[in-house]
Amino acid sequence: MAYIKFKELAKYFDFKTEVREEELEDYAKEYIDNKEQFVFAYKNNRDYAIFTTKRMILFDRDTLAVYYKKIHIIPYSSISTSAINYKPGKVEILLSLDSGYQMHLNFIEMNHDKKENIKRIYKLMMSVNL
């Protein structure tokens, strides 16, 4: 009998609430470099996404089975392709990185103004490669 090991092809993050820089946890602020500026941050119950002028910093925390924290630091220059999907009450940013890794950033409970903020960060992410 043969077994195929399942490997996740894409990482999904769901974010709901925008967070101001002064509201970030101290451990999250430590990852923002002096050479970059804070732009936006979003969170859900356990995860954070920080967007700066040069990169995004994603904190993936899990407390269900064993507590762990995985931190993804992704320079915008390593994004090879992307797409942004607007749906009623939701915005999705789909990313393919140079390494072949794929990520889905889902922003939920979005009104028009919040969608404009997501569009701004998306345009910033894509302008780094120009």
Side-chain angles (χ1 to χ4, degrees):
M1 198 183 265
Y3 291 95
I4 298 173
K5 185 176 180 181
F6 172 74
K7 182 177 180 189
E8 185 176 15
L9 297 176
K11 181 68 180 166
Y12 290 82
F13 289 92
D14 293 321
F15 299 108
K16 181 177 177 182
T17 309
E18 187 173 345
V19 181
R20 295 190 317 260
E21 186 174 13
E22 56 273 5
E23 296 174 333
L24 287 174
E25 300 286 340
D26 288 337
Y27 73 85
K29 291 179 187 177
E30 293 175 5
Y31 289 90
I32 301 174
D33 193 86
N34 294 337
K35 299 175 201 154
E36 59 192 346
Q37 296 174 355
F38 173 88
V39 179
F40 288 110
Y42 283 88
K43 72 175 188 171
N44 64 16
N45 294 346
R46 59 176 199 196
D47 299 333
Y48 275 102
I50 299 173
F51 298 93
T52 71
T53 51
K54 297 184 182 219
R55 60 196 178 144
M56 71 178 124
I57 306 162
L58 304 170
F59 296 87
D60 183 11
R61 297 184 304 167
D62 187 9
T63 56
L64 293 177
V66 176
Y67 179 79
Y68 77 86
K69 185 185 322 176
K70 184 188 266 185
I71 302 166
H72 303 270
I73 298 176
I74 302 165
Y76 299 143
S77 59
S78 71
I79 299 171
S80 56
T81 62
S82 67
I84 187 166
N85 294 330
Y86 295 99
K87 297 179 178 181
K90 182 177 182 178
V91 178
E92 299 173 330
I93 296 178
L94 312 172
L95 304 171
S96 293
L97 306 179
D98 290 341
S99 64
Y101 195 66
Q102 296 181 353
M103 298 189 109
H104 297 243
L105 307 177
N106 301 312
F107 300 89
I108 57 176
E109 295 185 16
M110 295 277 119
N111 61 24
H112 176 72
D113 293 336
K114 291 178 180 179
K115 285 182 179 183
E116 288 298 314
N117 287 340
I118 302 300
K119 181 170 39 173
R120 248 181 57 213
I121 193 64
Y122 179 74
K123 288 168 67 176
L124 171 68
M125 291 165 60
M126 296 305 102
S127 69
V128 170
N129 290 328
L130 296 178

